[in-house]
Amino acid sequence: MPVLVITGTGTEVGKTVTTAAVAAAALAAGRSVAVLKAAQTGVRADERGDADEVARLAGPVTAAELARYPDPLAPGTAARRAGMAPVHPHEVAEAAAKLATEHDLVLVEGAGGLLVRFDAAGGTLADAARLLNAPVLVVASAGLGTLNTTELTARELGARGLELAGVVIGSWPGAPDLASRCNVADLQEVAGAPLLGALPAGAGALPPTDFRAAAPAWLAPRLEGTWDAEAFRIREAP
Ligand SMILES: Nc1ncnc2c1ncn2[C@@H]1O[C@H](COP(=O)(O)OP(=O)(O)OP(=O)(O)O)[C@@H](O)[C@H]1O
Ligand SMILES: C[C@H](N)[C@H](N)CCCCCC(=O)O
Ligand SMILES: [Mg+2]
């Protein structure tokens, strides 16, 4: 199934801009793309959610989100506080699988990091990835502190038998410090997976046409300017 699950080492690490970059690269290569935000928290009904933000930056994708809760919290907590139904992992998997019958690529963005809870039973994005048997892309921050959270995430994926497609640095500073420069090598070492790209800081603020033009190169060298599902371990539809 041509599904890629996009998680991060935490919240605010650049998952949404990375999802948009992957979508833009795939669109540029002529693929149809759907983006599924499993559960959106901290956004009002009249505000743009992450899936809408991906569409704004990347271009014509199908943007879907399964639920929206007002509190800027983990989805399970936000659902409980709002007295609303939570999103269960099987619902994420079913929605992604349906989108996969209609698109060449489906990108599923979680909320926060891998083990953030979606429901009272403790269901997570990792459970949805398991149900989908989909590879997982981990978005990491660039600087000091990222090695620990990246390795923890990679180990949890491994313990669950999930495939870690690789790591993308969500926001690469204009003047990278020593830790960031060392992390280019060390992130791959601790993740046991390739560094698939780095998005420049401020990428999300670029005009969409500039974002789309530049996105494939940010995912270099694996993409070499062209969308390559294999580099992301995506099993394309037969
Ligand atoms: N390369 C980048 N360019 C511009 N903004 C970035 C970049 N990387 C991260 N950001 C900023 O980080 C935030 C988005 O990060 P991300 O999508 O990972 O987390 P989130 O949306 O806050 O959390 P979640 O998706 O878990 O709800 C935004 O505030 C965005 O402006
Ligand atoms: C509100 C925020 N932007 C995300 N939607 C939710 C992040 C939940 C993180 C929970 C945690 O790990 O402590
Ligand atoms: Mg996001």
Side-chain angles (χ1 to χ4, degrees), residues 11-17 37 50 109-112 170-171 199-204:
T11 189
E12 297 283 320
V13 294
K15 287 191 306 294
T16 301
V17 278
K37 178 73 179 180
D50 284 3
E109 182 185 345
S171 183
L199 275 62

Side-chain angles (χ1 to χ4, degrees), residues 15 33 41-42 58 66-67 104 111-112 120 135 137 142 158 174 199 211 215 223:
K15 287 191 306 294
V33 179
T41 65
L66 294 183
D104 298 322
L137 184 67
L199 275 62
F211 185 94
L223 281 188

Side-chain angles (χ1 to χ4, degrees), residues 109-126:
E109 182 185 345
L114 185 67
L115 295 186
V116 167
R117 296 182 175 205
F118 279 70
D119 60 21
T124 66
L125 187 70

